[in-house]
């Protein structure tokens, strides 16, 4: 039982450390990561500073030429462009980026074929990943082959780069010259449009503070005095773990989860060591005569300490070996849980050193107290059969260790319940639209311009309730502007307003509600100067926030408000709805959303809708996503935290119960004669079981009393990071306490009842 508990603890901690290692080594595949940065912007609106990672198109070339210390720059498009690639009748959508040729020098991508030095020598070129090359060309050499993009233009494969690891920020499957798109829209060349991602490579000895000082007001120097945009460099080494900004300053991120689970890993390991120590100490009296004989034979205290610590270390390494087996067995399930591809290489120096250190340190920690305790026995007392008194310190330590174990378990139970409640609290709040039976596809090429026949065919199918076009997915709107004005606007305020192009069916398809006015006209040209705003924007506009109110864009173009829609949540599910403007411009959209009728068979409906879309958009696949799946993904980190907390809480309780089970067996064995005498005198089985159990249950009650305030402080601190959060109810603490008590009672009762049922004749027989 000692080895089992220790092995489970080591295996559990090791899996967490594998996850932590994966997180802290993000982007380590990029050789220049220590000198690589992105340009970020802080923009202040109405006193609130927000951080953005989009930058103007001209910025990369300008800062390289004008700011000393910057060695190289490159632009990339956003988080990933989905483009349709085709070879013959094989067509698939792949995510990638348009980028400047300097990207290859900056990222040092390893090429399997070709070279980054000349990969973008021709405009219509594309470099692809090994995986993408395999998909389209199999075992054939892809170099020089052509790929048709969006059923329009042909691009030549000029390089194949090795697949990027999963713990890399960049997961693109292709790269193509930025020159293909950076001139397509007039705003792409101005300083007021933030659409590009600007990567920066610094000189090895560059002064980061001095560069940031020059960048701070750089946008203002290129636009107009009074522009409050402040730029700064955000290090690649921080992209994964420190990617949260509050009021323009770095404010945690995934590092909080790394710290939390690292702490939990150590706690689990400590609990396992506590078990080992507790059971070893409890069983020590059985070896009292051995110690006495060895002392009489001349064994010194130091030699005895060395022997017992050595035994503990050996047992610890046996537990490590068992733990390695458990790690390999549980790794596939753990990978599925954390959605990673973690691997264990026992012979890797870091992993081998970790296991050796864990085995040695755990053995020393777990065996130290029993060794010193055993070696202190008086040989004369032992050999005369004088009962060895468990010192007050010994009993207190054992009880304290049990209290620590169950305190941690209770804290984890409370944390698991509160995290689950918080996730459900946000998921179940009203988001302002209906996300059920709603799928979307990302349009390519000129698909949006040919929406009408697709819409008509979908509506005639009998399975579709409605369909609409929009710029962005329902949950995310990336376009915003502070260049709106209206009569009565406070000149000292410059609110940031989100905007989106949609088709006339958008509001009805999404299940949004108009609280005033009417929807867009089916003829978008009629609505060329009409807009629909949400309640949040109407409130900001004051008197003009009404049907018929006039909104000016850019200070000159007058737009009339024809409708006001009820607020709905987007971008921040924990916040409130931000101001929003809708334009009736279906030709400038990129998302097709389809709502199926209630009660239809979803799989059958998807097959029919897919056939219609593919028939009306020949050459394009039907690749869909569910809105409710995207919604769930927004809570991926919180859900994972709750799940892992639940798993670790269960393991902590299980390990604690292993120790409690062993201690209960030891206690029952020590009091066997007392139990026999009590039975002879008429004590019932229930009474004896209660007698043996109550001392342990007292320890669990003390554990709860210690755990409750600690859990309350920790949970309240965690909840402060959420604007929309659940209230912490007393019954959660009561539930955790009762659960711990019942588990402890079940564990102890088995041994107590077993001891109470023993034949008193056997227990009273002299040795």
């Amino acid at each position: 039982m000692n080895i089992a508990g220790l092995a489970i603890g080591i295996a559990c901690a090791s899996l967490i450390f594998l996850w932590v290692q994966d997180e802290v080594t993000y982007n380590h595949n990029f050789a220049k990561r220590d000198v690589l940065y992105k340009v970020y912007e802080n923009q202040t609106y109405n006193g609130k500073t927000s951080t953005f990672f989009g930058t103007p198109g001209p910025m990369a070339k300008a800062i390289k030429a004008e700011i000393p210390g910057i060695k190289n720059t490159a632009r990339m498009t956003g988080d990933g462009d989905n483009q349709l690639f085709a070879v013959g009748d094989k067509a698939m959508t792949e995510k990638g980026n348009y980028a400047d040729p300097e990207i290859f020098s900056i990222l040092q991508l390893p090429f399997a074929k070709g070279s980054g030095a000349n990969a973008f020598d021709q405009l219509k070129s594309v470099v692809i990943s090994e995986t993408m090359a395999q998909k389209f060309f199999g075992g054939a050499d892809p170099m020089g082959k052509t790929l048709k993009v969006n059923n329009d233009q042909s691009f030549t494969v000029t390089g194949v780069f090795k697949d990027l690891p999963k713990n890399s920020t960049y997961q693109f499957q292709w790269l193509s010259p930025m020159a293909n798109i950076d001139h397509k829209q007039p705003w792409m060349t101005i300083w007021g449009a933030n659409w590009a991602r600007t990567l920066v490579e610094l000189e090895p000895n560059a002064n980061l503070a001095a560069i940031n000082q020059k960048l701070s007001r750089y946008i203002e120097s290129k636009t107009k005095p009074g522009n409050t945009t402040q730029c700064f460099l955000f290090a690649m080494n921080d992209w994964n773990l420190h990617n949260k900004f509050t009021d323009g300053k770095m404010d945690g991120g995934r590092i909080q989860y790394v710290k939390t689970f690292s702490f939990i890993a150590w706690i689990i390991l400590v609990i396992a060591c506590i078990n080992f120590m507790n059971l070893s100490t409890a069983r020590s009296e059985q070896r009292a005569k051995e110690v006495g004989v060895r002392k009489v034979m001349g064994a010194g205290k130091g030699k005895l300490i060395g022997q017992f610590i050595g035994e503990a270390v050996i047992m610890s390494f046996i537990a490590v070996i068992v733990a390695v087996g458990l790690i390999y067995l549980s790794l596939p399930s753990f990978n599925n849980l954390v959605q990673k591809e973690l691997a264990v290489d026992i012979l890797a120096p870091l992993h081998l050193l970790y296991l050796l250190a864990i085995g040695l340190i755990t053995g020393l920690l777990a065996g130290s107290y029993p060794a010193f305790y055993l070696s202190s026995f008086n040989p004369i007392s032992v050999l005369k059969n004088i009962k060895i008194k468990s010192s007050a310190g010994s009993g207190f330590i054992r009880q304290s260790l049990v209290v620590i174990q169950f305190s941690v378990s209770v804290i984890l139970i409370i944390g698991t319940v509160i995290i689950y409640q918080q996730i459900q609290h946000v998921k179940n709040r009203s988001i302002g639209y209906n996300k059920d039976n709603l799928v979307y596809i990302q349009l390519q090429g000129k698909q949006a311009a040919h929406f009408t026949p697709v819409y008509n065919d979908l509506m005639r199918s009998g399975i579709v309730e409605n369909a609409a076009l929009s710029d962005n997915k329902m949950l995310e709107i990336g376009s915003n502007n502070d260049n709106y004005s209206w009569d009565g606007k406070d000149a000292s305020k410059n609110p940031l307003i989100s905007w989106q192009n949609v088709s006339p069916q958008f509001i009805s398809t999404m299940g949004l509600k108009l609280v005033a006015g009417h929807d867009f006209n089916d003829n978008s040209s009629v609505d060329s100067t009409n807009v629909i705003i949400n309640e949040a924007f109407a409130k900001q506009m004051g008197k003009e926030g009404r049907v018929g109110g006039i909104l000016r864009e850019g200070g000159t173009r007058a737009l009339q408000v024809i409708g006001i829609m009820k607020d709905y949540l987007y971008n921040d599910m924990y916040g409130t709805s931000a101001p929003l403007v809708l334009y009736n411009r279906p030709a400038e959209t990129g998302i097709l959303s389809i709502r199926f009728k209630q009660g239809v068979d979803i799989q059958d409906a998807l097959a029919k809708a897919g056939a219609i879309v593919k028939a009306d958009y020949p050459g394009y696949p039907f690749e869909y996503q569910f809105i409710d799946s995207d919604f769930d993904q927004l809570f991926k980190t919180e859900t994972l935290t709750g799940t892992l907390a639940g798993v670790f809480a269960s393991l902590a309780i299980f390990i604690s119960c292993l120790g409690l089970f062993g201690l209960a067996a030891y206690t029952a064995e020590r009091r066997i004669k007392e139990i026999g005498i009590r039975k002879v005198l008429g004590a019932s089985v229930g009474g004896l079981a209660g007698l043996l159990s109550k001392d342990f249950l007292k320890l669990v009650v003390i554990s709860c009393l210690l755990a409750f305030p600690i859990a309350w402080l920790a949970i309240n601190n965690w909840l402060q990071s959420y604007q929309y959060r659940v209230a912490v109810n007393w019954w959660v603490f009561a539930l955790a306490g009762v659960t711990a008590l019942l588990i402890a009672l079940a564990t102890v009762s088995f041994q107590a009842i077993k001891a109470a049922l023993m034949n008193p004749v056997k227990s009273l027989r002299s040795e």
Side-chain angles (χ1 to χ4, degrees):
M1 193 171 292
N2 274 16
I3 291 176
L6 199 53
I8 292 171
I10 292 172
C12 181
S14 299
L15 287 172
I16 302 174
F17 289 141
L18 275 176
W19 178 82
V20 169
Q21 181 189 18
D22 186 77
E23 290 289 332
V24 300
T25 56
Y26 243 77
N27 294 322
H28 277 210
N29 56 299
F30 298 117
K32 295 182 177 181
R33 63 183 179 276
D34 292 333
V35 292
L36 296 187
Y37 299 80
K38 277 183 189 173
V39 178
Y40 270 34
E41 293 184 0
N42 280 335
Q43 299 178 17
T44 303
Y45 300 96
N46 286 353
K48 180 182 178 182
T49 300
S50 300
T51 302
F52 301 93
F53 39 79
T55 55
M59 172 171 273
K61 186 178 292 186
I63 61 175
K64 179 182 178 181
E66 298 176 10
I67 299 181
I70 294 180
K71 181 178 180 180
N72 210 349
T73 60
R75 297 171 302 165
M76 292 181 71
T77 47
D79 296 331
D81 296 302
N82 288 305
Q83 303 288 354
L84 179 70
F85 289 84
V87 173
D89 59 355
K90 186 183 295 182
M92 285 174 278
T93 300
E94 298 288 345
K95 180 177 285 189
N97 295 85
Y98 291 98
D100 291 326
E102 291 82 3
I103 197 69
F104 298 114
S105 171
I106 290 175
L107 295 184
Q108 294 282 289
L109 292 178
F111 273 73
K113 293 181 182 294
S115 166
N118 56 9
F120 283 179
D121 282 355
Q122 55 185 5
L123 181 64
K124 300 301 179 184
S125 59
V126 62
V127 296
I128 59 178
S129 68
E130 288 180 308
T131 295
M132 186 170 167
Q134 182 64 33
K135 285 182 183 179
F136 285 96
F137 302 104
D141 186 353
M143 295 294 287
K145 300 286 197 315
T146 59
L147 284 166
K148 201 163 190 178
V149 179
N150 293 330
N151 292 329
D152 185 13
Q153 297 177 315
S154 293
F155 282 65
T156 302
V157 177
T158 55
V160 178
F161 58 86
K162 294 181 180 180
D163 290 340
L164 295 163
K166 295 297 182 183
N167 63 340
S168 166
T169 298
Y170 294 118
Q171 293 297 316
F172 46 73
Q173 296 298 313
W174 58 268
L175 291 172
S176 192
M178 182 70 82
N180 283 291
I181 67 164
D182 63 1
H183 59 281
K184 285 192 172 181
Q185 299 292 341
W187 48 263
M188 299 181 84
T189 60
I190 66 175
W191 283 90
N194 298 316
W195 62 273
R197 309 294 184 261
T198 300
L199 274 73
V200 173
E201 177 189 349
L202 297 186
E203 297 285 357
N205 298 317
N207 187 326
L208 179 61
I211 293 172
N212 275 332
Q213 182 66 32
K214 291 181 181 296
L215 274 175
S216 178
R217 311 303 300 184
Y218 194 78
I219 296 289
E220 182 182 15
S221 71
K222 299 295 181 179
T223 53
K224 57 183 180 181
N227 188 319
T228 60
T229 300
Q230 292 185 309
C231 297
F232 64 95
L233 295 181
F234 183 42
M236 176 180 272
N237 288 327
D238 291 327
W239 290 359
N240 179 57
L241 295 179
H242 300 89
N243 57 352
K244 181 183 176 185
F245 289 84
T246 301
D247 202 25
K249 296 179 180 178
M250 200 183 296
D251 184 30
R254 291 183 67 83
I255 187 63
Q256 295 173 327
Y257 297 98
V258 168
K259 289 179 178 178
T260 298
F261 287 115
S262 296
F263 179 73
I264 290 176
W266 285 112
I267 289 295
I268 295 287
L269 199 57
V270 167
I271 287 177
C273 290
I274 285 172
N275 258 4
F276 190 97
M277 187 183 296
N278 237 354
L279 292 175
S280 297
T281 307
R283 292 290 183 184
S284 58
E285 290 179 22
Q286 292 183 343
R287 303 185 66 178
K289 288 188 178 180
E290 175 194 342
V291 172
V293 171
R294 289 177 65 83
K295 280 195 169 185
V296 169
M297 298 296 291
K301 186 173 182 179
K303 188 173 182 180
L304 289 170
I305 290 173
Q307 175 197 340
F308 293 125
I309 287 182
E311 289 176 2
V313 171
I314 290 171
M315 290 184 69
S316 176
F317 275 106
I318 293 173
V320 168
I321 294 171
V322 175
V324 169
L326 292 175
I327 291 169
Y328 276 107
L329 287 173
S330 56
L331 191 58
S333 298
F334 187 74
N335 276 333
N336 185 56
L337 177 64
V338 299
Q339 297 181 16
K340 288 182 179 290
E341 295 179 4
L342 305 176
V344 180
D345 181 4
I346 297 300
L347 298 180
L350 183 63
H351 291 178
L352 193 60
L353 180 63
Y354 162 76
L355 289 173
L356 289 173
I358 285 292
L360 184 61
I361 294 171
T362 301
L364 291 174
L365 288 175
S368 57
Y369 179 75
F372 284 100
Y373 178 62
L374 285 167
S375 63
S376 66
F377 286 170
N378 186 318
I380 297 175
S381 299
V382 169
L383 296 176
K384 283 185 175 182
N385 260 349
I386 299 174
K387 183 177 174 64
I388 303 294
K389 290 185 179 180
S390 295
S391 67
S394 170
F396 176 76
I397 288 175
R398 281 205 296 273
Q399 292 173 354
S400 298
L401 295 178
V402 171
V403 169
I404 292 171
Q405 284 180 309
F406 273 90
S407 294
V408 172
S409 300
V410 170
I411 291 170
L412 288 175
I413 292 172
I414 294 170
T416 301
V417 174
I418 295 294
I419 292 170
Y420 174 81
Q421 284 185 323
Q422 172 64 12
I423 295 170
Q424 296 306 310
H425 182 62
V426 178
K427 280 188 173 182
N428 294 333
R429 72 183 292 196
S430 175
I431 58 176
Y433 65 94
N434 181 10
K435 65 180 185 298
D436 298 329
N437 293 340
L438 190 60
V439 301
Y440 69 90
I441 64 173
Q442 294 190 330
L443 302 178
Q444 309 290 345
K446 300 177 181 179
Q447 285 181 298
H450 301 286
F451 170 63
T452 301
V454 179
Y455 176 78
N456 291 335
D457 288 343
L458 286 171
M459 297 304 292
R460 282 194 294 264
S461 68
I463 57 169
V464 172
E465 184 177 307
N466 215 334
L469 299 176
S470 60
D471 260 346
N472 302 273
K473 294 181 286 187
M474 194 61 184
L475 299 170
E476 300 172 9
I477 297 178
S479 302
N480 46 57
N481 196 341
D482 68 338
N483 201 19
Y484 290 104
S485 61
W486 55 89
D487 290 343
K489 179 185 177 183
D490 187 339
S492 65
K493 294 182 178 180
N494 59 329
L496 190 64
I497 311 299
S498 298
W499 61 269
Q500 178 161 220
N501 297 321
V502 300
S503 69
Q505 305 86 359
F506 179 77
I507 288 178
S508 54
T509 298
M510 299 304 168
L512 297 167
K513 304 294 183 185
L514 282 174
V515 295
H518 61 85
D519 209 338
F520 287 124
N521 193 289
D522 287 340
N523 184 351
S524 59
S525 62
V526 174
D527 285 317
S528 61
T529 58
N530 293 337
V531 294
I532 294 175
I533 63 175
N534 67 350
E535 291 175 306
F537 194 13
K539 185 177 180 181
Q540 281 203 3
M541 290 178 65
K543 291 182 179 180
E544 286 298 303
R546 56 180 172 78
V547 174
I550 300 300
L551 176 67
R552 284 181 293 278
E553 182 183 20
T556 56
R557 187 185 179 207
L559 304 169
Q560 184 176 27
V561 177
I562 63 168
I564 300 174
M565 63 180 171
K566 192 173 181 63
D567 288 339
Y568 74 90
L569 292 180
Y570 62 90
N571 292 351
D572 181 9
M573 294 298 109
Y574 292 95
T576 56
S577 181
L580 174 64
V581 181
L582 298 183
Y583 295 88
N584 186 7
R585 296 191 292 221
E588 300 177 32
T589 57
I591 299 289
L592 167 60
S593 298
I594 302 171
R595 180 177 297 283
F596 295 114
K597 289 183 177 179
Q598 291 289 334
V600 300
D601 181 274
I602 290 296
Q603 293 306 315
D604 179 61
L606 286 169
K608 290 180 179 178
I612 292 170
V613 171
K614 286 191 286 186
D616 288 335
Y617 291 144
Y620 291 93
F622 180 66
E623 296 173 330
Y624 62 86
Q625 289 178 271
F626 282 91
I627 289 287
D628 54 3
S629 296
D630 281 4
F631 182 77
D632 290 338
Q633 279 293 106
L634 295 175
F635 308 98
K636 177 182 174 181
T637 302
E638 289 86 348
T639 301
L640 175 61
T641 302
T643 304
L644 288 178
V647 170
F648 298 146
S650 301
L651 286 171
I653 291 172
F654 179 72
I655 295 171
S656 299
C657 287
L658 283 178
L660 202 60
F661 189 83
L663 286 176
Y666 161 72
T667 302
E669 188 176 323
R670 284 191 63 208
R671 302 177 68 177
I672 196 70
K673 289 188 177 182
E674 175 192 344
I675 293 170
I677 294 170
R678 287 180 179 274
K679 284 196 74 172
V680 169
L681 293 175
S684 66
V685 172
L688 289 171
L691 177 70
L692 293 172
S693 301
K694 67 178 183 180
D695 290 338
F696 291 104
L697 295 182
K698 286 179 183 177
L699 297 179
V700 178
V701 171
I702 294 171
S703 300
C704 293
L705 295 177
L706 288 174
F708 289 167
I710 297 173
W712 187 88
L713 289 171
I715 284 296
N716 271 281
N717 182 60
W718 179 74
L719 287 173
Q720 293 307 309
S721 60
Y722 297 101
Q723 181 180 346
Y724 188 80
R725 54 183 178 266
V726 70
V728 180
N729 296 307
W730 65 268
W731 63 262
V732 175
F733 296 83
L735 175 66
V738 170
T739 300
L741 278 170
L742 290 176
I743 292 172
L745 181 62
T747 303
V748 173
S749 293
F750 177 82
Q751 291 288 8
I753 293 172
K754 179 182 174 182
L757 290 173
M758 284 188 65
N759 188 339
V761 175
K762 291 183 179 180
S763 59
L764 294 175
R765 184 185 299 155
S766 54
E767 297 179 355

